[in-house]
Every structure is written in C-alpha cells, then in structure tokens.
C-alpha cells in the first residue's frame, strides 16, 4: 500500500511538472532563506557572550559635546577615568585598560622580520575579562615575565613555524617606550609568554599580539600623557549594579573633567557589536536596525512562500475533483483517500526540506 502511494506521488509529479517544480522550489527557497537569515541573526547575537562573566562586563565610552550642538562618540577614553573607577567605585571587581599600538610596527624573530599590525598593550587584568584559550604558556607566566608578549596562533606560526615559541625573544619596533633623562628609550626586546588560539569571529576585539603594560614603573603617571587612547572595561560585582556604575561615571566627570563637554557612559559587553558604531572601534561593528530589517524580510519571505504553496495546493485539489469522483464510483473509502492525500503532501514537504539542506 505504501509503495502504491509513493508511485502515485511520483506519477503526480511526472504529469504535473510545472506545478511540482514551482511548489517544491518556491517553498524550499523560502524556508532556506529564512534559515539562512536566522543563522546570521544567531551569529550576530552571539558576539562576546562566550566570556564567562560577560553579563557583568561594561565598556566605558566617551561623549564629547560639539560647538554646533551635536555630539561625537568615541570607544576610547582618557586613562584617568579608568584610574578613578579603580580607586573610587567600591563595587568594581576589576578594571582593564587596553591601548592599541600605532601602524608601521614590525616584529623580528631571529632572522625573520615582518611588518605586523594589530599589536595591543593591556593591563594584566586582561584575562580576568576575556576567556581566550591558551595553546602554550599561561596567564601567570604573562604576568610575571618582564616585557612579556602573547601571540595568536597564526602569528606564532608565521614567526616560529611549528616550534615552541615560549621564552623566545622578539624585537618589536614602533610600539612602546619611555622618556628618561637621556631621552626617549623604546622598549624593543620582548619575551613570548604565551600563545592563544586565533580570535573567534564573534568578538569585537581584534589583535594579533598582546603586550603586558607592566612595562612602566608608574603606569598611571605614564598613561596620563597618552590622551584619550584607552579602551576601558569594568567588571562589576553584580549586573544589578549598573545604575551605581552610571552614578560613579557622573562623579568622575564632575571631578576630573569639569566644563570640558566630556561625559562617560557604560555599555554592556554583549551589546557592543550591534549598538556601538563609534569612532576608534577595534573593527567595524554590526547594526541592530539592519538585523531587525532582515528578520522582517525573513518573515515576509516565509509568508509569501507559504501563500504560494497553499494557492497551488488548493488549485490542484479543485482539479482533482474529477479523479476523486471516479475513485468513489469504484468504492474508494474516505479514510483511504485521506491517507493517499496526506502521503503525497508528506512526500512533497520532504522534498522541500531535502532541497534546502542540500
């Protein structure tokens, strides 16, 4: 009996190829488009939520009032704001400041010299905020090694191939230095203290090498000369303390930046990718309005595909009234015909899903 239903379904497709093609392809393409858009939606919403304390982490950004009445927003702020947060906000678990090195930097490992962008400097609290997996070395080694650097896997392979780079020396030009009595002295010699996996695509961060900023004996004094060049992150004790963080930022504005037109705001880590399109971002972020537009488009596609399928199915039922009448004359039972009809629909629907996953 089942074999008969299957043969009947194939015969229907054979004798009505245009209807079958439009019906199967229409719904299949509609469902496939919706699944594709849903996958993109899920990817965009997954940014930075893989960090263990992501719901308690905020990035501080800066708003500057302009003379024309508008405002400019920057992802980087003055180091003093981070220093004040660390010293005055009692509910802060940790504060992290990250500095992005300039362009035209180079790295030399033995005789291998390459131009390399994407080098950042960070305080040793970096891994209290971000969970990136170590392939070699450790956080403790990075904290305790003078002039330490962590490489991503791809950069490590570019410099050292398949050999273990831990405790190997690097010469890096164009990143950090300090003014002393005899002039500016650049920090050039670094020691590899760790290798991490390449950054996943669903993070707002973008770097290839991470230098520990414990280079400086008095970092707060040194950083105060660097201007508004720091990405600053705060981890609070509980996600319910966001309002207290906002109040602390207002106090910092009044204390350290009076009458400058500068104000500070906190943005949850998981919202940075879709809601932060400020100047000085690590890389281009996504857009939440575009994501909602795509969701509306997916719903519209699904409705159109479903309506198209229902219209064709209804038209076919009307055309098959003659067949039903002939079958009833020969004693076709209602239940048997229902089974036959639903088996055809099941075969057709299976074809839709099969095509979209193909």
């Amino acid at each position: 009996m089942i074999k008969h239903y299957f043969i009947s379904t194939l015969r229907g497709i054979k004798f009505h190829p245009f209807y079958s093609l439009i019906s199967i392809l229409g719904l299949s393409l509609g469902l496939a488009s919706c699944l594709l858009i849903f996958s993109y939606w899920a990817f965009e919403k997954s940014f930075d939520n893989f960090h263990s304390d992501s719901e308690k982490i905020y990035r501080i950004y800066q708003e500057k009032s302009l003379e024309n009445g508008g405002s400019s927003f920057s992802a980087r702020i003055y180091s003093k704001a981070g220093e004040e947060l660390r010293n005055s906000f009692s509910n802060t678990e940790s504060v992290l400041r990250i500095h992005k090195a300039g362009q035209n930097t180079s790295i030399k490992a033995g005789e291998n010299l390459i131009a390399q962008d994407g080098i950042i400097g960070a305080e040793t609290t970096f891994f209290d905020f971000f969970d990136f997996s170590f392939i070699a070395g450790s956080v403790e080694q990075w904290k305790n090694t003078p002039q330490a650097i962590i490489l991503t896997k791809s950069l490590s392979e570019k410099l050292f191939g398949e050999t273990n780079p831990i405790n190997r020396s690097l010469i890096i030009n164009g990143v950090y230095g300090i003014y002393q009595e005899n002039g500016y002295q650049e920090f050039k010699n670094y020691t590899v203290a760790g290798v991490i996996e390449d950054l996943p695509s669903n993070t707002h961060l973008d770097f290839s090498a991470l230098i520990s900023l414990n280079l400086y004996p008095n970092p707060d004094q040194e950083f105060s000369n660097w201007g508004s060049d720091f990405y600053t992150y705060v981890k609070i004790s509980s996600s319910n303390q966001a309002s207290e963080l906002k109040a602390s930022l207002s106090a910092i504005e009044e204390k350290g930046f009076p009458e400058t037109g500068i104000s500070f705001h906190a943005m949850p880590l998981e919202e940075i990718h879709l809601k932060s399109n400020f100047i000085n971002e690590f890389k281009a972020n996504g857009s939440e309005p575009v994501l909602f537009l795509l969701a509306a488009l997916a719903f519209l596609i699904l409705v159109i595909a479903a309506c198209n399928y229902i219209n064709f199915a209804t038209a076919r039922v009307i055309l098959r009234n003659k067949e039903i009448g002939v079958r009833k004359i020969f004693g076709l039972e209602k239940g048997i015909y229902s089974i036959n009809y639903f088996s055809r629909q099941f075969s057709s629907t299976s074809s839709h899903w099969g095509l979209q996953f193909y």
Side-chain angles (χ1 to χ4, degrees):
M1 185 66 70
I2 295 177
K3 180 180 178 181
H4 170 72
Y5 293 154
F6 182 72
I7 293 174
S8 178
T9 300
L10 292 179
R11 187 183 295 120
I13 295 174
K14 178 181 179 181
F15 286 104
H16 303 282
F18 177 75
Y19 156 77
S20 300
L21 181 65
I22 295 298
S23 178
I24 293 174
L25 284 183
L27 189 57
S28 297
L29 290 175
L31 290 172
S33 300
C34 290
L35 286 176
L36 183 62
I37 292 174
F38 174 76
S39 297
Y40 179 71
W41 171 286
F43 170 74
E44 290 288 287
K45 286 290 188 179
S46 71
F47 267 68
D48 291 308
N49 65 7
F50 58 88
H51 301 294
S52 56
D53 291 325
S54 60
E55 73 284 352
K56 298 194 296 183
I57 299 173
Y58 291 77
R59 188 179 72 178
I60 311 303
Y61 65 94
Q62 178 176 295
E63 179 183 359
K64 172 71 173 178
S65 298
L66 304 177
E67 293 181 358
N68 61 6
S71 297
S72 66
F73 296 87
S74 174
R76 299 193 301 215
I77 68 172
Y78 288 91
S79 66
K80 185 177 180 180
E83 179 186 351
E84 289 292 333
L85 277 172
R86 179 177 285 130
N87 296 332
S88 62
F89 184 41
S90 59
N91 293 317
T92 298
E93 278 192 17
S94 188
V95 174
L96 167 66
R97 290 175 292 189
I98 298 175
H99 179 267
K100 190 174 183 179
Q103 304 294 321
N104 303 318
T105 55
S106 64
I107 302 179
K108 184 178 182 181
E111 299 301 319
N112 189 8
L113 176 65
I114 62 171
Q116 184 67 42
D117 294 331
I119 300 175
I120 66 172
E123 294 180 302
T124 54
T125 54
F126 183 88
F127 290 99
D128 295 340
F129 287 76
F130 302 114
D131 300 332
F132 296 120
S133 301
F134 275 81
I135 300 173
S138 65
V139 176
E140 291 73 21
Q141 189 170 354
W142 182 61
K143 289 181 178 181
N144 298 325
T145 302
Q147 295 186 211
I149 185 171
I150 289 175
L151 308 177
T152 58
K153 179 181 178 182
S154 57
L155 180 56
S156 174
E157 291 175 349
K158 187 187 296 186
L159 292 169
F160 299 103
E162 298 299 325
T163 60
N164 186 359
I166 300 301
N167 294 324
R168 298 283 294 274
S169 296
L170 294 176
I171 297 176
I172 305 180
N173 295 302
V175 281
Y176 297 111
I178 188 171
Y179 284 97
Q180 297 178 334
E181 293 181 357
N182 55 349
Y184 183 76
Q185 299 295 318
E186 186 175 0
F187 296 116
K188 290 189 175 184
N189 300 305
Y190 295 86
T191 301
V192 179
V195 178
I196 60 173
E197 294 284 358
D198 289 339
L199 302 190
S201 55
N202 60 336
T203 177
H204 78 286
L205 296 173
D206 185 24
F207 64 89
S208 57
L210 175 64
I211 293 175
S212 171
L213 288 180
N214 64 359
L215 298 164
Y216 300 97
N218 191 341
D220 288 330
Q221 180 179 342
E222 178 66 29
F223 296 162
S224 64
N225 300 318
W226 294 12
S228 55
D229 272 352
F230 288 88
Y231 301 94
T232 302
Y233 300 81
V234 178
K235 182 191 288 189
I236 58 179
S237 303
S238 170
S239 56
N240 298 325
Q241 296 169 338
S243 58
E244 298 177 25
L245 175 59
K246 182 178 179 180
S248 294
L249 291 174
S250 298
I252 290 172
E253 295 167 18
E254 296 174 3
K255 177 182 177 182
F257 303 88
E259 301 180 1
T260 59
I262 292 175
S263 57
F264 301 107
H265 310 277
M267 177 173 288
L269 178 66
E270 296 179 6
E271 295 181 4
I272 290 175
H273 176 66
L274 291 177
K275 294 185 178 181
S276 175
N277 285 291
F278 307 144
I279 59 175
N280 300 318
E281 293 285 356
F282 273 102
K283 60 183 180 181
N285 285 326
S287 172
E288 193 170 47
V290 170
L291 205 59
F292 283 115
L293 182 63
L294 286 174
L297 179 62
F299 178 75
L300 181 62
I301 290 173
L302 185 60
V303 170
I304 292 174
C307 289
N308 176 70
Y309 179 79
I310 292 171
N311 285 337
F312 271 93
T314 303
R316 286 290 301 133
V317 168
I318 295 173
L319 292 176
R320 294 184 63 191
N321 282 339
K322 181 178 179 180
E323 176 191 345
I324 297 170
V326 172
R327 286 175 178 267
K328 285 184 176 180
I329 291 173
F330 286 94
L332 177 69
E333 296 181 5
K334 182 177 180 181
I336 299 297
Y337 176 75
S338 297
I339 294 173
N340 188 8
Y341 174 78
F342 284 113
S343 68
R344 292 185 180 186
Q345 298 306 311
F346 175 77
S347 299
S348 178
T349 304
S350 299
S351 300
H352 301 154
W353 286 99
L355 280 175
Q356 64 180 313
F357 284 113
Y358 175 70

